[in-house]
Amino acid sequence: MSANLSAILYLVSGVLFILALRGLSSPETSRQGNLFGIIGMVIAVTVTFLSVGNFSSGFIYVLIFLAIGGSIGAFIAYRIPMTAMPELVAGFHSLVGLAAVFVAISAFINPAAFNLGTPGNIKLASLIEMAIGAAVGAITFSGSVIAFLKLQGIMSGAPITFKGQHLLNALLLILIVILTIYLCSTQSSNLFWILIAVSFLIGFLIIIPIGGADMPVVISMLNSYSGWAAAGIGFTLENTALIITGALVGSSGAILSYIMCKGMNRSFFNVILGGFGATDQTTGGQSKEQRPVKSGNADDAAFLMKNASSVIIVPGYGMAVAQAQHALREMVDTLKKNDIKVSYAIHPVAGRMPGHMNVLLAEANVPYDEVFELEEINNDFANADVAFVIGANDVTNPVAKTDPQSPIYGMPVLDVEKCKSVLFVKRSLSPGYAGIDNDLFYKENTLMLFADAKKMTEDITKNL
């Protein structure tokens, strides 16, 4: 395939990727956006293969490993439950970062294969590009591994901090810059390996102090890092499609992280620099064993809902764990048959990643016009008769507005406590992912429904 035709087709795939992002910005157009992305990726991969020029043994090896990796990825994605989607995303980000590191290593060891010069005499611009790509890729890999471990529960979701942590991070970042400068002047292989090792280390140190409440921002941030790593390697390989794709992922991930930080009243730079100002996961006040709660059953919940004129549903991670979205939709349909107004309130960080609840509700065919974001619906709680909280915890915790020592202080939360009655479906009084007790459990107008979210919702529907 000629270079001109390759460039045109790469440009077409880049345009399709832009259209994909545009489509994914809204639930109504998300399927179309996905389709554009798939078509763009098929074009980019096909052009890359045809650009090789001959069906050598190396080409066959690429096809074999593509088939192996693609099959494994497809199998994992097919089998993964929606509750584990954040972990899957973190895992995929780590692989993108590791791939960038491997490509940089290959280009450094054998630059002639990439038309970058010879060992010890690599083009300066290419050396800078591969150093940046390798560093960002290594940070993405180790940071994503820590995010995966935290999300999976293998590692504590609480911030892990130690004295002098931020000073150490700053020194390591400065060291990376110094190593890159000396690498460009000496082209020493030892410096190159040290650069990668230090980058792996700082990726680990940046993520461990970030607590569970900020994990959705971390996922978005790592998505951005993986994009910039891909773009850096795209310059090394002189691959237009990789540069465009990486830049799109990097910039969109950074913008999403900024929007989420703004919505959570978090400092964008504090989060990306490793949880600057993270607080301990401790709360004051009485322990939950000393505080009385009111508990009820499905019949009590059905009675309150039948006598309500408006109900607001607040879904959270517990709904995802129980796979209760379809049962919830059936309950809402029953309520609407009784002329009860029903709407859904979605917090920006409900679940473990951006848009988690929106995807689950869309899976259950919940109409998009019934789903509202925090800023659109928060004022409606004061006028609603019943709030049905199904598995949401930290995003409904009033302590975010009252306790400066809380790790979620300052984060906008759904004003659920302002409803006349609050029905809170939860297995127990255990804290949420941020590791703190929820004051909403103990409010006078809260009725706790201790049960599996799906079973409780089905029982309420029967009673209705």
Side-chain angles (χ1 to χ4, degrees), residues 96-97 100-101 103-105 108 124-140 176-177 179-181 183-184 192 195-196 199-200 202 224-236:
V96 173
V101 174
V103 172
I105 292 172
F108 186 80
L124 178 60
S126 299
L127 195 59
I128 295 173
E129 292 158 4
M130 73 174 70
I132 293 174
V136 177
I139 292 171
T140 303
I176 287 175
V177 175
L179 287 170
T180 302
I181 294 172
L183 175 64
C184 292
F192 182 71
L195 172 66
I196 293 177
S199 299
F200 277 130
I202 198 169
S224 177
Y225 287 175
S226 68
W228 296 124
I233 295 304
F235 281 106
T236 300

Side-chain angles (χ1 to χ4, degrees), residues 182-419:
Y182 274 97
L183 175 64
C184 292
S185 61
T186 64
Q187 303 208 9
S188 166
S189 60
N190 290 334
L191 290 177
F192 182 71
W193 292 112
I194 294 172
L195 172 66
I196 293 177
V198 173
S199 299
F200 277 130
L201 176 61
I202 198 169
F204 169 80
L205 292 173
I206 283 176
I207 303 302
I208 59 169
I210 299 178
D214 293 324
M215 196 51 65
V217 182
V218 173
I219 295 295
S220 176
M221 180 184 71
L222 290 170
N223 178 47
S224 177
Y225 287 175
S226 68
W228 296 124
I233 295 304
F235 281 106
T236 300
L237 300 179
E238 298 181 351
N239 187 300
T240 307
L242 199 53
I243 295 170
I244 294 173
T245 307
L248 287 173
V249 173
S251 56
S252 60
I255 293 169
L256 178 60
S257 298
Y258 174 77
I259 292 172
M260 292 179 66
C261 284
K262 189 176 180 181
M264 294 169 64
N265 196 29
R266 291 288 195 263
S267 166
F268 177 69
F269 290 104
N270 285 357
V271 173
I272 66 173
L273 291 175
F276 235 100
T279 56
D280 294 330
Q281 301 283 16
T282 58
T283 56
Q286 296 174 292
S287 67
K288 61 188 175 190
E289 289 80 7
Q290 298 173 316
R291 304 173 68 182
V293 298
K294 291 191 292 184
S295 62
N297 54 34
D299 188 48
D300 299 324
F303 176 79
L304 285 171
M305 287 188 178
K306 277 190 289 190
N307 290 281
S309 60
S310 61
V311 175
I312 299 179
I313 311 291
V314 182
Y317 187 66
M319 183 189 77
V321 172
Q323 287 291 287
Q325 61 268 29
H326 296 283
L328 182 65
R329 167 68 194 274
E330 291 175 13
M331 186 192 81
V332 170
D333 287 344
T334 305
L335 289 172
K336 287 195 280 189
K337 287 177 183 177
N338 291 320
D339 296 324
I340 298 170
K341 179 186 175 184
V342 183
S343 51
Y344 297 80
I346 306 294
H347 192 279
V349 295
R352 296 286 176 86
M353 65 183 292
H356 201 173
M357 294 301 105
N358 301 76
V359 172
L360 287 172
L361 294 178
E363 183 186 349
N365 295 315
V366 172
Y368 298 130
D369 59 0
E370 294 178 6
V371 181
F372 299 92
E373 299 296 330
L374 178 145
E375 64 274 7
E376 299 174 306
I377 200 170
N378 228 13
N379 292 331
D380 295 346
F381 283 105
N383 301 317
D385 295 311
V386 175
F388 185 73
V389 184
I390 178 167
N393 199 332
D394 297 324
V395 298
T396 63
N397 196 340
V399 79
K401 297 177 285 187
T402 59
D403 184 3
Q405 301 305 314
S406 170
I408 63 170
Y409 181 70
M411 183 180 85
V413 293
L414 293 163
D415 294 331
V416 176
E417 75 277 6
K418 294 182 179 179
C419 272

Side-chain angles (χ1 to χ4, degrees), residues 389 391-397 424 426 430-433 436-438 441:
V389 184
N393 199 332
D394 297 324
V395 298
T396 63
N397 196 340
F424 206 122
K426 205 172 184 297
S430 60
Y433 194 60
I436 56 174
D437 202 15
N438 191 344
F441 298 162

Side-chain angles (χ1 to χ4, degrees), residues 75-89 152 317 320-323 325 353 356 359-360 363:
F75 176 76
I76 292 174
Y78 178 75
R79 293 294 300 273
I80 203 80
M82 273 304 302
T83 50
M85 194 59 67
E87 291 96 310
L88 178 67
V89 172
Q152 191 69 14
Y317 187 66
V321 172
Q323 287 291 287
Q325 61 268 29
M353 65 183 292
H356 201 173
V359 172
L360 287 172
E363 183 186 349

Side-chain angles (χ1 to χ4, degrees), residues 1-13 40-53 59 239 241:
M1 181 177 290
S2 68
N4 288 339
L5 182 57
S6 296
I8 292 172
L9 290 174
Y10 277 147
L11 182 61
V12 170
S13 68
M41 186 56 70
V42 168
I43 292 174
V45 171
T46 302
V47 172
T48 300
F49 274 116
L50 294 178
S51 297
V52 172
F59 186 91
N239 187 300

